[in-house]
Amino acid sequence: MSGQSLLVPGELSPARSVPGNIRRPEYVGKPAPTPYTGPEVQSAATIEAMRIAGRIAAQAMEEAAKLIAPGVTTDELDRVAHEYMCDHGAYPSTLGYRGFPKSLCSSVNEVICHGIPDSTVLRDGDIVNLDVTAFIGGVHGDNNATYLCGEVDEESRLLVERTREALNRAVKAVKPGRQINVIGRVIESYAKRFGYGVVRDFTGHGINSSFHSGLIIPHYDSPHATTVIEPGMTFTIEPMLTLGTHEYDMWADGWTVVTKDRKRTAQFEHTLVVTDTGAEILTLP
């Protein structure tokens, strides 16, 4: 594995503004969102709105990812995604969610998820996950991907490639009538072939007008994930695989989650709607 030194927190830039004409999610300015009490199966109108939100989120992530290179700060990636979403009439869902201060999550190397963009400078050989969610038309679209920065060692490159494949296999496993735990079973069985850890405490989730509806999508074979998949359900799948343990530590910021052994980790995510025969990905650029 790469011999890069471990990450340390950087300096935060001032909060970015969102034009006043852009609709905010209800949780902005509050300590927590209002709990979702609606259905997991969505109407055709909600699903169509989520296609728009998902496409903007995917394109914002792509625009930010174009800048990934040694010497670029994670805050600069945040700026690009923020401006893209605002320019397209969308609110960056993470901004102000339970107090999160930025418009995307940037998780580098040993950071599993929820890294906060700051003055951290990307280095040759890093891997960096960008997690972008857009809110427009009253709904959210959520996606993430892990990118290579410069010349990345083979072990890390394979981890990224195989994590992407784990997501692809999980999407194909989604069928009406199956239980949610088929998703985690497929991911975990694939990851075990390579000796990877599968993060258990951070999961996929239901998503619609609510950023997190309460529906949980584990990435391991959980005996408790017995909810039956139905057409019209909307949720994310976002496996997090590690080169070592699935256990984690939390930074003092209350957000940044790192592997307990500080080995590298990768993640990929799509928002899906269940169809009569499988799943449609809503977060395609």
Side-chain angles (χ1 to χ4, degrees):
M1 193 182 74
S2 169
Q4 299 279 49
S5 58
L6 297 178
L7 290 171
V8 295
E11 296 293 322
L12 281 180
S13 65
R16 293 192 161 86
S17 63
V18 176
N21 64 316
I22 293 177
R23 177 179 172 185
R24 273 75 169 150
E26 58 83 23
Y27 52 75
V28 173
K30 295 163 54 177
T34 302
Y36 178 72
T37 57
E40 297 298 345
V41 172
Q42 303 304 310
S43 68
T46 296
I47 293 165
E48 183 54 37
M50 289 181 68
R51 286 192 181 96
I52 295 169
R55 184 165 60 248
I56 291 172
Q59 290 171 337
M61 185 174 72
E62 272 203 343
E63 287 302 305
K66 288 177 183 177
L67 270 71
I68 291 175
V72 175
T73 65
T74 55
D75 187 66
E76 180 68 2
L77 304 178
D78 181 80
R79 181 191 66 78
V80 171
H82 177 95
E83 292 179 357
Y84 186 94
M85 285 185 273
C86 292
D87 287 348
H88 289 79
Y91 185 92
S93 300
T94 60
L95 184 61
Y97 178 78
R98 297 183 181 273
F100 192 85
K102 291 295 177 180
S103 298
L104 58 72
C105 299
S106 56
S107 301
V108 181
N109 296 344
E110 69 269 19
V111 179
I112 293 172
C113 56
H114 304 159
I116 300 175
D118 58 18
S119 61
T120 297
V121 176
L122 296 177
R123 302 162 297 181
D124 187 56
D126 283 342
I127 60 174
V128 56
N129 178 274
L130 301 182
D131 192 336
V132 179
T133 309
F135 177 79
I136 188 172
V139 298
H140 301 267
D142 185 4
N143 68 162
N144 76 57
T146 304
Y147 299 90
L148 310 181
C149 180
E151 294 296 319
V152 174
D153 67 272
E154 181 73 355
E155 185 179 37
S156 299
R157 189 188 64 75
L158 286 173
L159 174 68
V160 171
E161 181 181 300
R162 290 164 176 166
T163 306
R164 182 190 293 110
E165 176 62 15
L167 172 59
N168 292 340
R169 290 176 180 231
V171 171
K172 291 176 183 175
V174 174
K175 305 285 184 189
R178 292 179 172 177
Q179 293 183 341
I180 289 290
N181 58 12
V182 71
I183 295 168
R185 189 177 311 135
V186 165
I187 292 168
E188 188 173 39
S189 63
Y190 179 70
K192 279 184 173 179
R193 288 167 49 182
F194 310 105
Y196 295 153
V198 180
V199 172
R200 301 167 77 90
D201 294 273
F202 300 90
T203 68
H205 52 90
I207 184 170
N208 38 66
S209 59
S210 173
F211 195 170
H212 299 87
S213 74
L215 177 67
I216 301 299
I217 312 295
H219 302 121
Y220 65 99
D221 188 3
S222 169
H224 306 295
T226 56
T227 300
V228 175
I229 297 170
E230 299 178 61
M233 277 184 166
T234 50
F235 52 82
T236 72
I237 303 175
E238 44 189 296
M240 292 152 262
L241 306 186
T242 70
L243 291 175
T245 183
H246 68 269
E247 296 179 348
Y248 67 93
D249 291 322
M250 181 83 74
W251 279 7
D253 61 25
W255 283 106
T256 306
V257 179
V258 295
T259 54
K260 187 169 279 293
D261 57 12
R262 303 302 191 265
K263 291 186 177 179
R264 288 188 169 190
T265 175
Q267 182 184 15
F268 284 83
E269 173 187 22
H270 276 307
T271 296
L272 314 172
V273 60
V274 181
T275 68
D276 290 336
T277 57
E280 175 192 347
I281 296 173
L282 299 177
T283 39
L284 292 175

